[in-house]
Amino acid sequence: MAASDPSDRDRDDEPGVLVLAATPIGRVADAPPRLAEELAGADVVAAEDTRRLRRLTGDLGVTLGGRVVSYFEGNESARTPVLLDALLAGERVLLVTDAGMPSVSDPGYRLVVAAVDAGVRVTAVPGPSAVLTALAVSGLPVDRFCFEGFLPRKAGERSRRLAGLAAEERTMVFFEAPHRTEAALAAMAEAFGGDRPGAVCRELTKTHEEVRRGPLEELAAWAADGVRGEVTVVVAGAAPVAGVAADDDSLRAAVAEREEQGMSRKEAIVEVARLAGVPKREVYNLVHGAGGAS
């Protein structure tokens, strides 16, 4: 395939250029046209999986003109200085991962930081993104959102992470392994409430693409039968909660109201303290009659 050499555009007298190139998350046809140009013209192609890179270039009809090196989680620390040396020597380094944009829950962040610190130009080939694709098709609010990546694998750490997000009002996007999807959804239902709306997006843009929407409790039950493929989970944010006045009577009443609604006293104290903007100890002392505010 004939392609212009993008490396000629940036050489001159400046250091090399680091190019972060998005690769298809499903269909090869989704690859941006510029990806082929960059693959053909790069001095160095750093790939998360060199075998998948070879398949991609074959599908795109691209002949690599530069050398290929592996760059994955296990060798990022050791390989970053080598790639930085290439950049400082004036070479154009193209970074690709298995799917989507490098450095977004994929290798690349270390190299970006090193390049920025060294004054090397960093640019990107925009393209497919599982985060934005899932968000767009989820049917949930998209005006404000946050990306939380992968949840911790251990149940306790996962529960603590989700508890910290229970009051998050923005739509949340998570990546998850298929064999952990059921446990993650169940933990979300416990932390956010079983009726919180969500969407499980799997195999996005692929032949067996599926988007399952519904309350988290129902999604967890659906996932119990097993989930296959690449999974992205989108969850609606919490409904805005009115603040709590910080006077003693209002704080006591707010805790009592939440206990009547089914919260434990500890949970009620934590939430009321957060909403009122006062220390938890102050609310605790008021509720337990420990002499008022300290």
Side-chain angles (χ1 to χ4, degrees):
M1 167 179 181
S4 60
D5 184 350
S7 61
D8 291 339
R9 296 194 298 269
D10 300 286
R11 289 266 173 89
D12 298 327
D13 296 323
E14 67 178 354
V17 180
L18 173 61
V19 183
L20 309 177
T23 54
I25 59 175
R27 302 176 187 230
V28 175
D30 293 336
R34 191 175 142 215
L35 176 60
E37 296 181 8
E38 294 287 353
L39 285 166
D43 298 300
V44 182
V45 178
E48 183 177 10
D49 186 326
T50 57
R51 291 168 299 181
R52 294 188 68 161
L53 171 66
R54 299 293 182 185
R55 287 198 294 271
L56 176 63
T57 54
D59 290 338
L60 294 176
V62 174
T63 298
L64 295 173
R67 61 189 184 280
V68 175
V69 299
S70 64
Y71 190 79
F72 57 94
E73 185 178 359
N75 73 357
E76 269 190 282
S77 295
R79 191 55 55 83
T80 293
V82 176
L83 293 175
L84 181 60
D85 286 343
L87 289 165
L88 292 174
E91 294 189 295
R92 191 177 188 91
V93 175
L94 182 72
L95 178 61
V96 294
T97 55
D98 291 346
M101 179 61 72
S103 82
V104 180
S105 280
D106 273 331
Y109 175 73
R110 285 188 179 92
L111 183 56
V112 171
V113 172
V116 170
D117 288 346
V120 173
R121 180 184 166 209
V122 179
T123 187
V125 177
S129 164
V131 176
L132 296 181
T133 303
L135 186 68
V137 303
S138 68
L140 298 172
V142 298
D143 54 332
R144 297 175 65 235
F145 70 94
C146 59
F147 174 56
E148 289 295 325
F150 285 94
L151 290 170
R153 297 183 181 185
K154 295 183 178 179
E157 294 176 5
R158 180 173 57 221
S159 295
R160 285 191 290 274
R161 172 78 64 81
L162 291 172
L165 294 169
E168 173 59 65
E169 296 180 9
R170 295 171 294 179
T171 298
M172 295 169 281
V173 184
F174 302 85
F175 285 162
E176 194 50 88
H179 63 281
R180 290 197 299 269
T181 300
E182 178 193 1
L185 289 168
M188 290 176 184
E190 181 177 353
F192 304 154
D195 59 348
R196 180 81 71 89
V200 178
C201 309
R202 69 176 198 88
E203 295 293 86
L204 287 169
T205 80
K206 299 177 183 177
T207 302
H208 299 292
E209 175 181 282
E210 179 181 16
V211 180
R212 192 87 178 191
R213 305 175 183 89
L216 289 173
E217 190 172 48
E218 291 183 10
L219 291 175
W222 163 79
D225 291 332
V227 178
R228 293 183 179 181
E230 300 290 333
V231 175
T232 305
V233 179
V234 186
V235 181
V241 180
V244 175
D247 62 277
D248 292 358
D249 289 341
S250 295
L251 293 173
R252 291 192 189 96
V255 171
E257 179 182 357
R258 283 158 177 75
E259 286 187 271
E260 290 174 2
Q261 294 172 349
M263 273 192 182
S264 69
R265 176 164 291 184
K266 180 179 179 180
E267 291 171 334
I269 288 172
V270 170
E271 179 173 294
V272 169
R274 179 180 62 80
L275 293 174
V278 300
K280 288 182 290 184
R281 174 59 60 181
E282 180 176 335
V283 181
Y284 179 91
N285 288 340
L286 283 170
V287 171
H288 289 276
S294 57

